[in-house]
Amino acid sequence: MTDTTGKSNEMWGGRFTAKPDDVMEAINASIDVDKRLAEEDIAGSMAHATMLAACDIISQDDLSAIMAGLEQVLEEIRTEKFQYSRALEDIHMNVEARLKEIIGDPAGRLHTGRSRNDQVATDFRLWVKNACIARMDQIEALMSALIEQADAHADWVMPGFTHLQTAQPVTVGHHLMAYVEMLSRDFTRFSDAVVRMDECPLGAAALAGTGFPINRDMTADTLGFSGPMANSLDAVSARDFVIESLSTIAICAQHLSRLAEELVIWSSAPFSFARMSDAWSTGSSIMPQKRNPDAAELVRAKTGKANGALIAMLTVMKGLPLAYSKDMQDDKQTAFDAFDSIDLSLQAMTGMISTMSFNKDKLRAAASGGFSTATDLADWCVRELNIPFREAHHITGATVKLAEDKGVDLWDLSLEELQSVEPRITNEIFDVLTVDASVASRQSYGGTAPQCVREQIAAWKERLS
């Protein structure tokens, strides 16, 4: 619950005597957004207070009071009994004001040696770092779901497409494992981002550091950072950790969108390659036969939000001089929305993939159409007839035209008809023209042969375990 009329702002000290205009208060306040950082804010305050006492900057009595008061504030927040005030602007001032109500004067010592600038930078880094780690866990869950489906369908043939035209036969397992590879790169991008943001801004104060003999290594260690940031100006003004995370979210969302698009196509009546479970489908208010892949479509749509968040954040930061500017207050809503969207998208996609089923007959029929084994004919001519690939390509093109004119598939042509195009073709050609023979022959590393797919599945299962 947020109080919009409560306390006047006393945190600015004696410089101001008049209350801000109501519109100024509305545009300046961020509590409706940054109250989401409450846990991180209190963790940072506890670490800071503990360090201040260890460095003899505040007394042990003050520390005990501050810690007990912060514990009470945290409990009030968790139980939704805390009264937020927009007049107090942000989560930092709201927590400090409530702390003062609880413990009195010792609350005023908590802000020694720090500023809201390094405080919010610390809170936000903690939040984004933990959010990235949580998304990594979700990516692994989706990868595992894809691997299980790939394992179950490692030798089921389906058409491989280029330009959404039938190109060559592949296996369902091979197709799904392509997304495992994409997601693994998203995982490492989040992981790399966590490494780069794993430095603590706390103690940089407003922008220049502090004259108090603080121990920044202590607070960094307490909060789980690898160490303190080395430059106080950079510490309070850097938001590249947010930008990098949003970039990773945008790339991951794009991968999910591509997969979602395929689920939409595969589950459509003309394709009928796959069927979405009832849990991940919706109906129509007027057409009772409909099974709409709404979850996949919504995952696809959320890519726009992810891209927008990245561009918004880049734009906010693009022209800001060092160090802190109030523009940076608008970083959090953008990031929260993007992380929430990718969270929901990853969960939804994992659910869809885990419960979907495939239509083997439809997949095989589609894989067999469109002269999908034409390349196998060309490759056979190169291997067996020792002719250049370009000549083999021409022979195959003429053979495809012959089959097309007759309204049959390549393997339906007789040997005599094949030899009318290229007399050196032998009966052995029929060993490579079926879709099963085609996929089985693709045994190069990373190929679609079921044996290769199962090897990749086994390797990924070992990595994820």
Side-chain angles (χ1 to χ4, degrees):
M1 180 175 168
T2 303
D3 172 19
T4 60
T5 60
K7 311 151 188 165
S8 62
N9 195 325
E10 298 176 355
M11 297 293 178
W12 298 343
R15 178 64 179 85
F16 292 84
T17 58
K19 182 181 181 295
D21 184 272
D22 289 344
V23 175
M24 175 59 193
E25 184 174 291
I27 197 172
N28 194 46
S30 62
I31 186 59
D32 291 337
V33 173
D34 63 29
K35 64 183 178 183
R36 192 163 174 175
L37 299 175
E39 299 248 356
E40 289 78 11
D41 193 71
I42 291 173
S45 290
M46 287 180 167
H48 185 66
T50 302
M51 178 276 295
L52 291 176
C55 295
D56 294 325
I57 298 172
I58 65 173
S59 70
Q60 288 296 324
D61 288 342
D62 284 341
L63 173 63
S64 297
I66 289 169
M67 296 296 277
L70 288 173
E71 289 282 3
Q72 181 175 331
V73 173
L74 182 59
E75 178 63 19
E76 290 176 2
I77 289 170
R78 287 175 173 172
T79 57
E80 299 183 356
K81 296 177 182 178
F82 191 88
Q83 293 291 314
Y84 297 97
S85 170
R86 289 200 186 116
L88 292 172
E89 293 187 14
D90 54 35
I91 187 61
H92 324 299
M93 287 185 169
N94 270 265
V95 168
E96 186 173 333
R98 178 62 182 137
L99 182 64
K100 184 177 180 181
E101 289 177 349
I102 296 169
I103 67 172
D105 289 343
R109 301 188 186 280
L110 175 59
H111 211 53
T112 306
R114 74 174 184 185
S115 162
R116 281 191 296 172
N117 292 356
D118 61 338
Q119 194 176 355
V120 69
T122 303
D123 294 354
F124 201 20
R125 271 183 188 260
L126 278 173
W127 190 94
V128 172
K129 177 183 169 184
N130 290 331
C132 286
I133 293 169
R135 298 302 86 75
M136 289 162 63
D137 291 340
Q138 290 178 317
I139 288 171
E140 282 195 332
L142 177 52
M143 290 171 67
S144 294
L146 286 162
I147 289 167
E148 289 304 315
Q149 286 281 22
D151 199 10
H153 305 92
D155 58 357
W156 285 30
V157 293
M158 68 174 289
F161 298 100
T162 60
H163 310 280
L164 204 56
Q165 303 294 313
T166 299
Q168 294 176 320
V170 297
T171 60
V172 173
H174 188 58
H175 195 114
L176 295 177
M177 289 303 292
Y179 286 100
V180 172
E181 295 293 334
M182 293 181 213
L183 288 163
S184 73
R185 295 192 292 274
D186 295 329
F187 181 96
T188 57
R189 273 184 279 269
F190 276 118
S191 178
D192 291 346
V194 168
V195 171
R196 272 184 287 278
M197 74 178 72
D198 196 25
E199 295 179 327
C200 185
L202 195 58
L207 74 162
T210 178
F212 291 97
I214 62 174
N215 185 339
R216 293 189 62 207
D217 288 293
M218 180 179 176
T219 48
D221 183 66
T222 301
L223 293 171
F225 288 103
S226 61
M229 295 185 73
N231 184 285
S232 60
L233 286 165
D234 181 45
V236 299
S237 64
R239 292 296 184 271
D240 55 346
F241 69 95
V242 188
I243 293 170
E244 183 174 12
S245 301
L246 293 177
S247 173
T248 299
I249 287 173
I251 296 170
C252 183
Q254 177 253 323
H255 288 153
L256 296 182
S257 182
R258 296 184 74 180
L259 179 54
E261 172 69 6
E262 301 217 87
L263 298 186
V264 171
I265 292 172
W266 292 352
S267 63
S268 66
F271 276 77
S272 296
F273 286 0
R275 182 181 177 90
M276 310 297 292
S277 72
D278 287 352
W280 297 100
S281 303
T282 64
S284 165
S285 63
I286 190 172
M287 295 168 286
Q289 82 280 10
K290 294 289 294 298
R291 290 178 59 85
N292 298 326
D294 282 4
E297 292 170 1
L298 290 166
V299 167
R300 188 174 58 186
K302 289 188 184 300
T303 308
K305 291 184 70 174
N307 293 346
L310 174 59
I311 296 302
M313 192 64 204
L314 285 166
T315 305
V316 166
M317 296 300 298
K318 72 173 183 63
L320 299 186
L322 296 179
Y324 181 84
S325 295
K326 196 71 169 182
D327 311 48
M328 293 156 68
Q329 180 170 287
D330 274 354
D331 55 2
K332 285 169 281 297
Q333 185 66 68
T334 299
F336 292 157
D337 287 347
F339 273 103
D340 288 347
S341 290
I342 200 68
D343 172 6
L344 199 56
S345 294
L346 285 165
Q347 290 188 65
M349 188 58 73
T350 302
M352 284 184 280
I353 293 296
S354 298
T355 58
M356 70 186 297
S357 58
F358 290 93
N359 187 325
K360 189 173 187 177
D361 293 339
K362 284 283 189 178
L363 288 163
R364 173 172 287 275
S368 302
F371 308 108
S372 63
T373 58
T375 305
D376 298 277
L377 171 58
D379 288 347
W380 185 89
C381 289
V382 171
R383 286 194 310 269
E384 303 300 327
L385 305 183
N386 194 30
I387 60 177
F389 181 80
R390 285 302 167 203
E391 183 181 344
H393 187 284
H394 180 78
I395 292 169
T396 301
T399 306
V400 167
K401 186 177 188 309
L402 175 63
E404 192 172 43
D405 290 343
K406 290 181 171 291
V408 298
D409 289 313
L410 288 175
W411 52 81
D412 293 323
L413 293 171
S414 67
L415 179 61
E416 291 75 16
E417 287 170 327
L418 291 169
Q419 288 176 336
S420 70
V421 178
E422 171 48 63
R424 289 172 289 178
I425 291 177
T426 70
N427 209 49
E428 293 176 356
I429 190 63
F430 295 106
D431 293 334
V432 304
L433 288 184
T434 66
V435 291
D436 292 305
S438 176
V439 297
S441 71
R442 308 292 173 182
Q443 296 184 19
S444 57
Y445 181 76
T448 192
Q451 172 188 339
C452 297
V453 174
R454 291 190 174 102
E455 288 172 358
Q456 289 297 314
I457 289 169
W460 268 113
K461 284 186 174 181
E462 183 175 352
R463 289 174 68 178
L464 290 178
S465 67

